Coordinates of all heavy atoms in Angstrom, one line a residue:
G1 N -2.8 -4.8 7.8 CA -3.5 -5.1 9.0 C -5.0 -4.7 9.0 O -5.7 -5.0 9.9
F2 N -5.4 -4.0 8.0 CA -6.8 -3.6 7.9 C -7.7 -4.6 7.2 O -7.3 -5.1 6.1 CB -6.8 -2.3 7.1 CG -8.2 -1.6 7.1 CD1 -8.5 -0.7 8.1 CD2 -9.1 -1.8 6.1 CE1 -9.8 -0.1 8.1 CE2 -10.4 -1.2 6.1 CZ -10.7 -0.3 7.1
N3 N -8.8 -4.9 7.8 CA -9.7 -5.9 7.3 C -11.0 -5.2 6.8 O -11.8 -4.7 7.6 CB -10.0 -7.0 8.3 CG -10.9 -8.1 7.8 OD1 -11.8 -7.8 6.9 ND2 -10.6 -9.3 8.2
F4 N -11.1 -5.1 5.5 CA -12.3 -4.3 5.0 C -13.6 -5.0 5.4 O -14.6 -4.3 5.6 CB -12.2 -4.2 3.4 CG -11.2 -3.2 3.0 CD1 -9.8 -3.5 2.9 CD2 -11.6 -1.9 2.8 CE1 -8.9 -2.5 2.5 CE2 -10.7 -0.9 2.4 CZ -9.4 -1.2 2.3
E5 N -13.7 -6.3 5.5 CA -14.9 -6.9 5.8 C -15.3 -6.6 7.2 O -16.5 -6.4 7.6 CB -14.8 -8.5 5.6 CG -16.1 -9.2 5.8 CD -16.1 -10.7 5.5 OE1 -15.0 -11.2 5.3 OE2 -17.1 -11.3 5.5
E6 N -14.3 -6.5 8.2 CA -14.7 -6.1 9.5 C -15.3 -4.8 9.6 O -16.2 -4.5 10.4 CB -13.4 -6.1 10.4 CG -13.0 -7.5 11.0 CD -11.7 -7.4 11.7 OE1 -11.3 -6.3 12.1 OE2 -11.1 -8.5 11.9
V7 N -14.9 -3.9 8.7 CA -15.4 -2.5 8.8 C -16.6 -2.3 7.9 O -17.6 -1.7 8.3 CB -14.3 -1.5 8.4 CG1 -14.8 -0.1 8.4 CG2 -13.1 -1.6 9.4
Y8 N -16.6 -2.9 6.7 CA -17.6 -2.7 5.7 C -18.6 -3.8 5.5 O -19.5 -3.8 4.7 CB -17.0 -2.3 4.4 CG -16.2 -1.0 4.4 CD1 -14.8 -1.1 4.4 CD2 -16.8 0.2 4.6 CE1 -14.1 0.1 4.5 CE2 -16.1 1.4 4.7 CZ -14.7 1.3 4.6 OH -13.9 2.4 4.7
G9 N -18.4 -4.9 6.3 CA -19.3 -6.0 6.2 C -19.1 -6.8 4.9 O -18.0 -6.7 4.3
E10 N -20.1 -7.4 4.4 CA -20.0 -8.3 3.2 C -19.4 -7.5 2.0 O -18.7 -8.1 1.2 CB -21.4 -8.9 2.9 CG -21.5 -9.9 1.8 CD -21.6 -9.3 0.5 OE1 -22.2 -8.2 0.4 OE2 -21.1 -9.9 -0.5
R11 N -19.8 -6.2 1.9 CA -19.3 -5.4 0.8 C -17.8 -5.4 0.7 O -17.2 -5.2 -0.3 CB -19.9 -4.0 0.9 CG -19.7 -3.2 -0.3 CD -20.4 -1.8 -0.2 NE -20.2 -1.0 -1.4 CZ -21.2 -0.9 -2.3 NH1 -22.3 -1.6 -2.2 NH2 -21.0 -0.2 -3.4
G12 N -17.2 -5.4 1.9 CA -15.7 -5.3 2.0 C -15.0 -6.7 1.9 O -13.7 -6.7 1.8
R13 N -15.7 -7.7 1.8 CA -15.1 -9.1 1.8 C -14.2 -9.2 0.5 O -14.5 -8.8 -0.6 CB -16.1 -10.2 1.7 CG -15.5 -11.6 1.8 CD -16.6 -12.7 1.8 NE -17.6 -12.4 2.8 CZ -18.8 -12.8 2.8 NH1 -19.3 -13.4 1.7 NH2 -19.6 -12.5 3.8
D14 N -12.9 -9.7 0.8 CA -12.0 -10.0 -0.2 C -11.4 -8.7 -1.0 O -10.9 -8.8 -2.0 CB -12.5 -11.0 -1.3 CG -12.8 -12.3 -0.7 OD1 -12.2 -12.7 0.3 OD2 -13.7 -13.0 -1.3
F15 N -11.6 -7.6 -0.4 CA -11.2 -6.3 -1.0 C -9.8 -6.0 -0.5 O -9.5 -6.1 0.7 CB -12.1 -5.2 -0.7 CG -11.6 -3.9 -1.4 CD1 -12.0 -3.7 -2.7 CD2 -10.9 -2.9 -0.7 CE1 -11.5 -2.5 -3.4 CE2 -10.5 -1.8 -1.4 CZ -10.8 -1.6 -2.7
I16 N -8.9 -5.7 -1.4 CA -7.5 -5.2 -1.0 C -7.0 -4.5 -2.3 O -7.4 -4.8 -3.4 CB -6.6 -6.4 -0.5 CG1 -5.4 -5.8 0.3 CG2 -6.2 -7.2 -1.6 CD1 -5.7 -5.2 1.6
E17 N -6.1 -3.6 -2.1 CA -5.4 -3.0 -3.2 C -4.0 -3.7 -3.4 O -3.4 -4.2 -2.4 CB -5.2 -1.5 -3.1 CG -6.6 -0.8 -3.0 CD -6.6 0.7 -3.4 OE1 -5.5 1.2 -3.5 OE2 -7.7 1.2 -3.5
I18 N -3.5 -3.7 -4.6 CA -2.2 -4.4 -4.9 C -1.3 -3.3 -5.3 O -1.6 -2.5 -6.3 CB -2.4 -5.5 -5.9 CG1 -3.3 -6.6 -5.4 CG2 -1.0 -6.0 -6.3 CD1 -2.8 -7.3 -4.2
H19 N -0.1 -3.2 -4.7 CA 0.9 -2.3 -5.0 C 2.1 -3.0 -5.7 O 2.5 -4.0 -5.3 CB 1.4 -1.6 -3.7 CG 2.6 -0.6 -3.9 ND1 2.4 0.5 -4.7 CD2 3.8 -0.7 -3.5 CE1 3.6 1.2 -4.6 NE2 4.5 0.4 -4.0
H20 N 2.5 -2.4 -6.8 CA 3.7 -2.8 -7.5 C 4.9 -2.2 -6.8 O 5.1 -1.0 -6.8 CB 3.7 -2.4 -9.0 CG 2.7 -3.2 -9.8 ND1 3.0 -4.2 -10.7 CD2 1.3 -3.0 -9.8 CE1 1.9 -4.6 -11.2 NE2 0.9 -3.9 -10.8
I21 N 5.8 -3.1 -6.3 CA 7.0 -2.5 -5.6 C 7.9 -1.7 -6.6 O 8.3 -0.6 -6.2 CB 7.8 -3.7 -4.9 CG1 6.9 -4.2 -3.8 CG2 9.1 -3.2 -4.4 CD1 7.4 -5.5 -3.2
K22 N 8.1 -2.3 -7.8 CA 8.7 -1.5 -8.8 C 7.6 -0.8 -9.6 O 6.8 -1.5 -10.2 CB 9.5 -2.4 -9.8 CG 10.9 -2.7 -9.3 CD 11.6 -3.5 -10.4 CE 12.6 -4.5 -9.8 NZ 12.8 -5.7 -10.7
P23 N 7.6 0.6 -9.6 CA 6.5 1.2 -10.4 C 6.4 0.7 -11.8 O 7.5 0.6 -12.5 CB 6.9 2.7 -10.3 CG 7.8 2.8 -9.2 CD 8.5 1.5 -9.1
L24 N 5.2 0.5 -12.3 CA 5.1 0.0 -13.7 C 5.7 1.0 -14.6 O 6.2 0.6 -15.7 CB 3.6 -0.2 -14.0 CG 2.9 -1.4 -13.4 CD1 1.4 -1.5 -13.8 CD2 3.6 -2.7 -13.7
S25 N 5.6 2.3 -14.3 CA 6.1 3.3 -15.2 C 7.6 3.3 -15.4 O 8.1 3.9 -16.3 CB 5.6 4.7 -14.7 OG 6.1 4.9 -13.4
S26 N 8.3 2.6 -14.4 CA 9.7 2.6 -14.5 C 10.2 1.4 -15.4 O 11.4 1.2 -15.7 CB 10.3 2.4 -13.1 OG 10.2 1.1 -12.6
L27 N 9.3 0.5 -15.8 CA 9.6 -0.6 -16.6 C 9.6 -0.3 -18.0 O 8.6 0.2 -18.5 CB 8.7 -1.8 -16.3 CG 8.6 -2.2 -14.8 CD1 7.5 -3.3 -14.7 CD2 9.9 -2.8 -14.3
K28 N 10.8 -0.5 -18.7 CA 10.9 0.0 -20.1 C 10.3 -1.1 -21.0 O 9.9 -0.7 -22.1 CB 12.4 0.2 -20.4 CG 13.1 1.1 -19.5 CD 13.0 2.6 -20.0 CE 13.9 3.5 -19.3 NZ 13.3 4.0 -18.0
E29 N 10.3 -2.3 -20.6 CA 9.8 -3.4 -21.5 C 8.9 -4.3 -20.7 O 8.9 -4.3 -19.5 CB 10.9 -4.1 -22.2 CG 11.9 -4.7 -21.2 CD 13.2 -5.1 -21.8 OE1 13.8 -4.3 -22.6 OE2 13.7 -6.2 -21.6
A30 N 8.2 -5.2 -21.4 CA 7.3 -6.1 -20.8 C 8.2 -7.1 -19.9 O 9.2 -7.6 -20.4 CB 6.5 -6.9 -21.8
V31 N 7.8 -7.3 -18.7 CA 8.5 -8.2 -17.8 C 7.5 -9.0 -17.1 O 6.4 -8.6 -16.8 CB 9.4 -7.5 -16.7 CG1 10.6 -6.7 -17.4 CG2 8.6 -6.5 -15.9
A32 N 7.9 -10.2 -16.7 CA 7.1 -11.1 -15.9 C 7.0 -10.6 -14.5 O 8.0 -10.2 -13.9 CB 7.6 -12.5 -15.9
I33 N 5.8 -10.6 -13.9 CA 5.7 -10.1 -12.5 C 5.6 -11.3 -11.6 O 4.8 -12.2 -11.9 CB 4.4 -9.3 -12.4 CG1 4.4 -8.1 -13.3 CG2 4.1 -8.9 -11.0 CD1 5.3 -6.9 -12.9
N34 N 6.4 -11.4 -10.6 CA 6.3 -12.4 -9.6 C 5.4 -11.9 -8.4 O 5.9 -11.0 -7.7 CB 7.7 -12.9 -9.1 CG 7.6 -13.9 -8.1 OD1 6.6 -14.1 -7.4 ND2 8.7 -14.7 -7.9
P35 N 4.2 -12.4 -8.2 CA 3.4 -11.9 -7.2 C 4.0 -11.9 -5.8 O 3.7 -11.0 -5.0 CB 2.1 -12.8 -7.2 CG 2.1 -13.4 -8.6 CD 3.6 -13.5 -9.0
K36 N 4.9 -12.9 -5.5 CA 5.5 -13.0 -4.2 C 6.5 -12.0 -3.9 O 6.7 -11.5 -2.8 CB 6.1 -14.4 -4.0 CG 5.0 -15.4 -3.8 CD 5.5 -16.8 -3.4 CE 4.4 -17.7 -3.1 NZ 4.8 -19.1 -3.3
T37 N 7.2 -11.5 -5.0 CA 8.3 -10.6 -4.7 C 8.1 -9.2 -5.3 O 8.7 -8.2 -4.9 CB 9.6 -11.1 -5.3 OG1 9.4 -11.3 -6.7 CG2 10.1 -12.4 -4.7
D38 N 7.1 -9.1 -6.2 CA 6.9 -7.8 -6.9 C 5.7 -7.0 -6.5 O 5.5 -5.9 -6.8 CB 6.9 -8.0 -8.4 CG 8.1 -8.7 -9.0 OD1 9.2 -8.4 -8.4 OD2 8.1 -9.4 -10.0
L39 N 4.8 -7.7 -5.8 CA 3.5 -7.1 -5.4 C 3.3 -7.2 -3.9 O 3.8 -8.1 -3.3 CB 2.3 -7.8 -6.1 CG 2.4 -8.0 -7.6 CD1 1.2 -8.8 -8.1 CD2 2.4 -6.6 -8.3
V40 N 2.6 -6.2 -3.4 CA 2.3 -6.2 -2.0 C 0.9 -5.7 -1.8 O 0.4 -4.7 -2.4 CB 3.3 -5.4 -1.1 CG1 3.4 -3.9 -1.5 CG2 3.1 -5.5 0.3
P41 N 0.1 -6.5 -1.0 CA -1.3 -6.0 -0.7 C -1.3 -4.9 0.3 O -0.6 -4.9 1.3 CB -2.0 -7.3 -0.1 CG -0.9 -8.1 0.4 CD 0.3 -7.7 -0.3
L42 N -2.1 -3.8 0.1 CA -2.2 -2.7 1.0 C -3.6 -2.3 1.1 O -4.4 -2.3 0.2 CB -1.4 -1.5 0.4 CG 0.1 -1.6 0.4 CD1 0.7 -0.4 -0.4 CD2 0.7 -1.6 1.8
C43 N -4.0 -1.7 2.2 CA -5.3 -1.1 2.4 C -5.2 0.2 1.5 O -4.2 0.7 1.2 CB -5.7 -0.8 3.8 SG -4.9 0.7 4.5
A44 N -6.4 0.7 1.2 CA -6.5 1.8 0.3 C -5.8 3.1 0.9 O -5.2 3.9 0.2 CB -8.0 2.1 -0.1
N45 N -6.0 3.3 2.2 CA -5.3 4.5 2.8 C -3.8 4.4 2.7 O -3.2 5.4 2.2 CB -5.7 4.6 4.3 CG -7.1 5.2 4.5 OD1 -7.7 5.7 3.6 ND2 -7.5 5.1 5.7
C46 N -3.3 3.3 3.0 CA -1.8 3.1 3.0 C -1.3 3.2 1.5 O -0.3 3.8 1.2 CB -1.3 1.8 3.6 SG -1.4 1.9 5.4
H47 N -2.1 2.7 0.6 CA -1.7 2.7 -0.8 C -1.7 4.2 -1.3 O -0.7 4.6 -2.0 CB -2.6 1.9 -1.7 CG -2.1 1.5 -3.0 ND1 -2.8 1.0 -4.0 CD2 -0.8 1.6 -3.5 CE1 -2.1 0.8 -5.1 NE2 -0.8 1.2 -4.8
R48 N -2.6 4.9 -0.9 CA -2.7 6.3 -1.4 C -1.5 7.1 -0.8 O -0.9 8.0 -1.4 CB -4.0 7.0 -0.9 CG -5.2 6.5 -1.7 CD -5.2 6.9 -3.1 NE -5.3 8.3 -3.3 CZ -5.7 8.9 -4.3 NH1 -6.1 8.3 -5.4 NH2 -5.7 10.3 -4.4
M49 N -1.2 6.8 0.5 CA -0.1 7.6 1.2 C 1.2 7.2 0.5 O 2.1 8.1 0.4 CB -0.1 7.2 2.7 CG -1.2 7.8 3.5 SD -1.2 9.7 3.3 CE -2.7 9.9 2.2
I50 N 1.4 6.0 0.1 CA 2.7 5.6 -0.6 C 2.9 6.4 -1.8 O 4.0 6.8 -2.2 CB 2.7 4.0 -0.8 CG1 3.2 3.3 0.4 CG2 3.5 3.7 -2.1 CD1 3.4 1.8 0.2
H51 N 1.8 6.7 -2.5 CA 1.8 7.4 -3.8 C 1.5 8.9 -3.7 O 1.4 9.6 -4.7 CB 0.8 6.8 -4.8 CG 1.2 5.4 -5.3 ND1 2.2 5.3 -6.3 CD2 0.9 4.2 -5.0 CE1 2.4 4.0 -6.6 NE2 1.6 3.3 -5.8
R52 N 1.4 9.4 -2.5 CA 0.9 10.7 -2.3 C 1.8 11.8 -3.1 O 1.2 12.7 -3.6 CB 1.0 11.1 -0.8 CG 0.5 12.5 -0.4 CD -1.0 12.5 -0.4 NE -1.6 13.8 -0.5 CZ -1.7 14.7 0.4 NH1 -1.4 14.4 1.6 NH2 -2.2 15.9 0.2
R53 N 3.1 11.6 -3.1 CA 4.0 12.5 -3.8 C 4.5 11.7 -5.0 O 5.2 10.7 -4.8 CB 5.1 13.0 -2.9 CG 4.6 13.8 -1.8 CD 5.7 14.4 -0.9 NE 5.2 15.1 0.2 CZ 5.7 15.1 1.4 NH1 6.9 14.5 1.6 NH2 5.2 15.7 2.4
K54 N 4.2 12.3 -6.2 CA 4.5 11.6 -7.4 C 6.0 11.3 -7.6 O 6.4 10.2 -8.0 CB 4.1 12.4 -8.6 CG 2.8 12.0 -9.2 CD 2.6 12.4 -10.6 CE 1.4 11.7 -11.2 NZ 0.7 12.4 -12.2
N55 N 6.9 12.2 -7.1 CA 8.3 12.0 -7.3 C 8.9 11.3 -6.1 O 10.2 11.2 -6.0 CB 9.0 13.3 -7.5 CG 8.4 14.0 -8.8 OD1 8.2 13.3 -9.8 ND2 8.2 15.3 -8.7
E56 N 8.2 10.9 -5.1 CA 8.7 10.3 -3.9 C 7.8 9.2 -3.5 O 7.0 9.3 -2.5 CB 8.9 11.4 -2.8 CG 9.5 10.9 -1.6 CD 9.2 11.7 -0.3 OE1 8.5 12.7 -0.5 OE2 9.7 11.4 0.7
V57 N 7.8 8.1 -4.2 CA 7.0 6.9 -3.8 C 7.7 6.2 -2.7 O 8.9 5.8 -2.8 CB 6.8 6.0 -5.0 CG1 6.0 4.7 -4.6 CG2 6.1 6.7 -6.2
L58 N 7.0 6.0 -1.6 CA 7.6 5.4 -0.4 C 7.7 3.9 -0.6 O 6.9 3.3 -1.3 CB 6.8 5.7 0.8 CG 6.7 7.2 1.2 CD1 5.8 7.3 2.5 CD2 8.0 7.9 1.4
T59 N 8.7 3.3 0.2 CA 8.7 1.9 0.3 C 7.7 1.5 1.4 O 7.3 2.4 2.2 CB 10.1 1.3 0.7 OG1 10.4 1.8 2.0 CG2 11.1 1.7 -0.3
V60 N 7.3 0.2 1.5 CA 6.4 -0.2 2.6 C 7.1 0.0 3.9 O 6.5 0.5 4.9 CB 6.0 -1.7 2.3 CG1 5.3 -2.2 3.6 CG2 5.2 -1.8 1.1
E61 N 8.4 -0.2 4.0 CA 9.1 0.0 5.2 C 9.1 1.5 5.6 O 8.9 1.8 6.8 CB 10.6 -0.4 5.1 CG 10.8 -2.0 5.0 CD 10.2 -2.6 3.8 OE1 10.2 -1.9 2.7 OE2 9.7 -3.7 3.9
Q62 N 9.2 2.4 4.7 CA 9.2 3.8 5.0 C 7.8 4.2 5.5 O 7.6 5.0 6.4 CB 9.5 4.7 3.7 CG 11.0 4.6 3.4 CD 11.3 5.3 2.1 OE1 10.6 5.1 1.1 NE2 12.3 6.1 2.0
L63 N 6.8 3.6 4.9 CA 5.4 3.9 5.3 C 5.1 3.4 6.7 O 4.6 4.1 7.5 CB 4.4 3.3 4.3 CG 2.9 3.6 4.7 CD1 2.5 4.9 4.2 CD2 2.0 2.5 4.2
K64 N 5.6 2.2 7.0 CA 5.5 1.6 8.3 C 6.2 2.5 9.4 O 5.6 2.7 10.5 CB 6.1 0.2 8.4 CG 5.2 -0.9 7.8 CD 5.9 -2.2 8.0 CE 5.2 -3.3 7.4 NZ 5.9 -4.6 7.4
A65 N 7.4 3.0 9.0 CA 8.1 3.9 9.9 C 7.3 5.2 10.2 O 7.2 5.6 11.4 CB 9.4 4.2 9.4
L66 N 6.6 5.7 9.1 CA 5.8 6.9 9.3 C 4.6 6.7 10.3 O 4.3 7.4 11.1 CB 5.2 7.4 8.0 CG 6.1 8.1 7.0 CD1 5.2 8.6 5.8 CD2 6.7 9.4 7.7
T67 N 3.9 5.5 10.0 CA 2.7 5.3 10.8 C 3.1 5.0 12.3 O 2.4 5.4 13.2 CB 1.9 4.1 10.2 OG1 2.7 3.0 10.1 CG2 1.3 4.5 8.9
K68 N 4.2 4.3 12.5 CA 4.6 4.0 13.8 C 4.9 5.3 14.6 O 4.5 5.5 15.7 CB 5.9 3.2 13.8 CG 5.7 1.7 14.0 CD 7.0 1.0 14.1 CE 6.9 -0.4 13.6 NZ 8.1 -0.9 13.0
K69 N 5.6 6.2 13.9 CA 5.9 7.5 14.5 C 4.6 8.2 14.9 O 4.4 8.7 16.0 CB 6.7 8.4 13.5 CG 7.5 9.5 14.2 CD 8.5 10.1 13.1 CE 8.1 11.5 12.9 NZ 8.7 12.0 11.7
L70 N 3.6 8.2 14.0 CA 2.3 8.9 14.2 C 1.6 8.3 15.4 O 1.2 9.0 16.3 CB 1.4 8.8 13.0 CG 0.0 9.3 13.2 CD1 0.0 10.8 13.4 CD2 -0.9 8.9 12.0
Y71 N 1.6 6.9 15.4 CA 0.8 6.3 16.5 C 1.5 6.5 17.9 O 0.9 6.7 18.9 CB 0.7 4.8 16.2 CG -0.3 4.5 15.1 CD1 0.0 3.7 14.1 CD2 -1.6 5.1 15.1 CE1 -0.9 3.4 13.1 CE2 -2.5 4.9 14.1 CZ -2.1 4.0 13.1 OH -3.0 3.8 12.1
T72 N 2.9 6.6 17.9 CA 3.6 6.8 19.1 C 3.3 8.3 19.6 O 3.0 8.5 20.8 CB 5.1 6.7 18.8 OG1 5.3 5.4 18.3 CG2 5.9 6.8 20.1
E73 N 3.2 9.2 18.6 CA 2.9 10.6 19.0 C 1.5 10.8 19.5 O 1.2 11.6 20.4 CB 3.2 11.5 17.8 CG 4.7 11.7 17.6 CD 4.9 12.4 16.2 OE1 4.0 12.8 15.5 OE2 6.1 12.5 15.9
L74 N 0.6 10.0 19.0 CA -0.8 10.1 19.4 C -1.1 9.6 20.8 O -2.0 10.0 21.5 CB -1.8 9.5 18.4 CG -1.9 10.1 17.0 CD1 -2.7 9.3 16.1 CD2 -2.5 11.5 17.2
R75 N -0.3 8.6 21.2 CA -0.5 8.0 22.5 C -0.2 8.9 23.7 O 0.6 9.8 23.6 CB 0.4 6.7 22.6 CG -0.4 5.5 22.2 CD 0.4 4.3 22.4 NE 0.3 3.4 21.2 CZ 1.4 2.9 20.6 NH1 2.6 3.0 21.1 NH2 1.3 2.2 19.5
Ligands
LIG101 ZN1 0.9 1.3 -5.8

C-alpha cells in the first residue's frame, strides 16, 4: 500500500522491492520463476521486516497480521 512517488516525488516513481516467496537460498537447482505466484512486491520497510530474522522469514500474511496488531494498539 506504500507509494514511493507520493512520498519521494519523481525519484520514487516506479520503485518497489520484489520478494521471492520461496527463498532463493532454499532452491537446490535452477527453476523457472513465475512472477504471479513466486514473487510479491513489497515496500522496503516491509521487505526488511520479513527478513529481519534470518531463521524466521515471515510470510506476507504473518507480516500483515503483525502490522494490523501494531496499528490497532497505536489507536
Ligand atoms: Zn525478500
Side-chain angles (χ1 to χ4, degrees):
F2 187 89
N3 184 324
F4 283 86
E5 187 175 6
E6 272 174 22
V7 177
Y8 298 106
E10 187 274 331
R11 191 179 183 95
R13 184 180 304 151
D14 297 335
F15 182 82
I16 197 71
E17 296 201 356
I18 297 297
H19 175 66
H20 289 256
I21 291 169
K22 278 186 210 154
L24 287 181
S25 58
S26 75
L27 303 175
K28 303 269 188 283
E29 55 196 48
V31 294
I33 300 287
N34 178 339
K36 286 190 178 153
T37 57
D38 300 330
L39 305 176
V40 60
L42 289 174
C43 81
N45 278 351
C46 284
H47 198 193
R48 292 291 297 201
M49 287 303 106
I50 274 184
H51 287 281
R52 181 79 202 279
R53 294 182 187 148
K54 262 200 166 146
N55 300 322
E56 186 201 0
V57 177
L58 299 180
T59 66
V60 172
E61 288 68 31
Q62 287 172 317
L63 183 81
K64 280 183 184 171
L66 280 185
T67 55
K68 263 186 212 150
K69 202 168 114 195
L70 171 70
Y71 289 130
T72 306
E73 286 167 5
L74 288 175
R75 268 186 226 131

